[in-house]
Amino acid sequence: MVRITALVLAIALGLAGCVTTIGGTASNRIDPRDAHAIRLNQMDLVNTIRAQQGLQPVTLSPQLTAAAETHARDMAAQLRAWNFGSDRSSPQTRAERAGFTGLITGENVAETFLGPVEMFQFWYADPRAKAAMLNPAATHMSLGWYQEENGKLWFVQLIGAQSSEPALVMAESQ
């Protein structure tokens, strides 16, 4: 636990450049130019806790990123953080639409003013969100978000097990 806290602090300091000052107060305004670095940091945090459990690391998936970003915008439009799209789509359906060939093993969502590192800490403390990050079958992940003008963030963390056999994936997901 001490190692995780030290790592989170180190990454938080590294992300300090992602926080800007608006009107004299700190805001978790995310600069779009920092998106890839934020996703890499999120993956590093997840992989650190996975390694402590003897689990294989996950890698970033551009398809899961697309699905997560789309769902983050949709949650903001729906004014609720939940796992269903406005069209009642599931995380699995949204990932498949984005081209992900595999099974979604977890989706963590949030509506918050917290930044990405604080969001990870919140999910880490939640048993269900943590279980999603520690699913032994997971091979890929991503983090997507939508930020409103007032600074509110809508986060989606998608975790999945990629398959190179689309027919197998479809059979397992039905």
Side-chain angles (χ1 to χ4, degrees), residues 13 18 32 37 41 60 68 99 110 117 120 124 155 163:
L13 293 173
C18 301
N41 283 328
L60 289 178
V117 172
F120 170 82
Y124 181 75
F155 281 111
S163 170

Coordinates of all heavy atoms in Angstrom, one line a residue, residues 13 18 32 37 41 60 68 99 110 117 120 124 155 163:
L13 N 2.4 14.4 -9.2 CA 3.4 15.5 -9.4 C 3.7 15.6 -10.9 O 3.9 16.7 -11.4 CB 4.6 15.3 -8.5 CG 4.4 15.4 -7.0 CD1 5.7 15.0 -6.3 CD2 4.0 16.8 -6.6
C18 N -0.8 19.3 -16.1 CA -2.1 19.2 -16.7 C -3.1 20.0 -16.0 O -4.3 20.1 -16.4 CB -2.5 17.7 -16.7 SG -1.4 16.6 -17.5
P32 N -6.1 19.1 -23.9 CA -6.2 17.9 -24.9 C -4.8 17.4 -25.3 O -4.7 16.2 -25.7 CB -6.9 18.5 -26.1 CG -7.7 19.6 -25.5 CD -6.9 20.2 -24.4
A37 N -0.6 11.2 -22.5 CA 0.2 11.1 -21.3 C -0.7 10.7 -20.1 O -0.3 9.8 -19.3 CB 0.9 12.4 -20.9
N41 N -0.3 7.2 -17.9 CA -0.2 7.3 -16.5 C -1.3 6.4 -15.9 O -1.0 5.6 -14.9 CB -0.3 8.7 -16.0 CG 1.0 9.4 -16.2 OD1 2.1 8.9 -16.1 ND2 0.9 10.7 -16.4
L60 N -2.8 -0.2 -23.7 CA -3.8 0.7 -24.2 C -4.4 0.2 -25.5 O -3.7 -0.3 -26.3 CB -3.2 2.1 -24.4 CG -2.9 2.9 -23.1 CD1 -2.3 4.2 -23.5 CD2 -4.1 3.1 -22.2
A68 N -14.7 4.7 -24.9 CA -14.8 5.4 -23.7 C -15.1 6.9 -23.9 O -15.9 7.5 -23.1 CB -13.5 5.2 -22.9
G99 N -14.8 -1.2 -32.9 CA -13.8 -2.1 -33.5 C -13.0 -3.0 -32.5 O -12.1 -3.7 -33.0
A110 N -17.6 7.7 -13.9 CA -17.7 8.7 -12.8 C -18.1 10.1 -13.4 O -17.8 10.4 -14.5 CB -16.4 8.9 -12.1
V117 N -5.7 11.3 -11.6 CA -5.1 10.5 -10.6 C -6.0 10.3 -9.4 O -6.1 9.2 -8.9 CB -3.7 11.2 -10.2 CG1 -3.1 10.5 -9.0 CG2 -2.8 11.2 -11.3
F120 N -8.5 7.7 -10.2 CA -7.9 6.4 -10.0 C -7.9 6.0 -8.6 O -8.3 4.8 -8.2 CB -6.5 6.3 -10.5 CG -5.8 5.0 -10.2 CD1 -6.0 3.8 -10.9 CD2 -5.0 4.9 -9.0 CE1 -5.4 2.6 -10.5 CE2 -4.4 3.7 -8.6 CZ -4.6 2.6 -9.4
Y124 N -9.8 2.8 -7.1 CA -9.0 1.8 -6.3 C -9.6 1.5 -5.0 O -9.5 0.4 -4.5 CB -7.5 2.4 -6.2 CG -6.6 1.4 -5.4 CD1 -6.1 0.3 -6.1 CD2 -6.2 1.6 -4.1 CE1 -5.3 -0.6 -5.5 CE2 -5.4 0.7 -3.5 CZ -4.9 -0.4 -4.1 OH -4.1 -1.2 -3.5
F155 N -15.8 10.6 -16.6 CA -14.7 9.6 -16.9 C -15.3 8.3 -17.2 O -16.3 7.8 -16.6 CB -13.8 9.4 -15.7 CG -12.8 10.5 -15.5 CD1 -12.9 11.4 -14.4 CD2 -11.7 10.6 -16.4 CE1 -11.9 12.4 -14.2 CE2 -10.7 11.6 -16.2 CZ -10.8 12.5 -15.1
S163 N -9.4 -10.5 -28.2 CA -9.3 -11.8 -28.9 C -9.0 -11.5 -30.4 O -9.5 -10.6 -31.0 CB -10.6 -12.6 -28.8 OG -10.6 -13.7 -29.7

